[in-house]
Amino acid sequence: MAGNRTFTMIKPDAFAAGNSGAILKMIEEAGFKIVAMKATQLSSELAGKFYAVHKERPFYADLCKYMSSGPIIAAILEKDNAVEDFRTLIGATNPANAAEGTIRKIFATSIEANAVHGSDSDENAEIEGNFYFNQYERVK
Ligand code: CMP
């Protein structure tokens, strides 16, 4: 059975453009409940740890630089079928391929600066949520 939590980051491009509020509004209107949330800024080292799964990819160094370039918002979200439904809401990784009305289609500027992150599995949602939040920082 699919889990009911996912993890997201509003990335530096969207945060700097002042789109965090509009993006959170879309997330809430799509039925996701915010279970934990914080504004923070990653060091390049921490960005590297978060995206360690991509460390052999050609875009890894640029991704770490970009993800540590400014503030972000990290959040744990709750909804039935959270991982899949959130990926539908945000659209394809490359905004050029994202469906109309999706968060990336509306707010992303490139495949790297793609406005938001969404976990790709229940297992990674748990790992990524734990990367940012301890048990006392979550709504019960
Ligand atoms: P995200 O869903 O956070 O997961 C990995 C991130 O790496 C992705 O969003 C993009 O920001 C970035 N990314 C993925 N593919 C590429 C690519 N081909 N070129 C540059 N960045 C990429």
Side-chain angles (χ1 to χ4, degrees):
M1 203 189 84
N4 67 348
R5 286 194 174 179
T6 191
F7 172 80
T8 188
M9 291 182 287
I10 297 176
K11 297 188 178 185
D13 59 300
F15 188 103
N19 291 327
S20 300
I23 290 171
L24 288 169
K25 185 165 189 275
M26 284 183 72
I27 290 172
E28 289 194 314
E29 284 179 351
F32 291 87
K33 179 178 144 194
I34 297 167
V35 173
M37 184 164 73
K38 70 170 101 169
T40 185
Q41 183 163 352
L42 292 168
S43 64
S44 170
E45 188 193 3
L46 274 179
K49 277 190 185 154
F50 184 91
Y51 281 115
V53 62
H54 295 305
K55 69 171 177 287
E56 307 304 333
R57 309 285 285 274
F59 57 80
Y60 179 69
D62 281 346
L63 178 62
C64 295
K65 194 170 161 200
Y66 159 66
M67 284 302 297
S68 57
S69 66
I72 61 156
I73 289 175
I76 298 173
L77 304 172
E78 194 170 273
K79 182 184 182 296
D80 286 349
N81 201 37
V83 166
E84 191 186 338
D85 286 3
F86 192 69
R87 287 173 76 80
T88 301
L89 177 67
I90 67 179
T93 303
N94 186 345
N97 303 327
E100 288 300 329
T102 59
I103 290 175
R104 283 171 170 159
K105 185 71 176 184
I106 297 168
F107 296 108
T109 52
S110 71
I111 191 169
E112 178 180 77
N114 63 356
V116 284
H117 168 79
S119 304
D120 63 3
S121 66
D122 290 342
E123 188 191 358
N124 283 337
E126 175 80 15
I127 292 168
E128 292 171 1
N130 289 339
F131 185 91
Y132 281 95
F133 300 101
N134 67 43
Q135 59 177 314
Y136 306 108
E137 295 173 309
R138 299 159 192 237
V139 173
K140 297 292 172 224

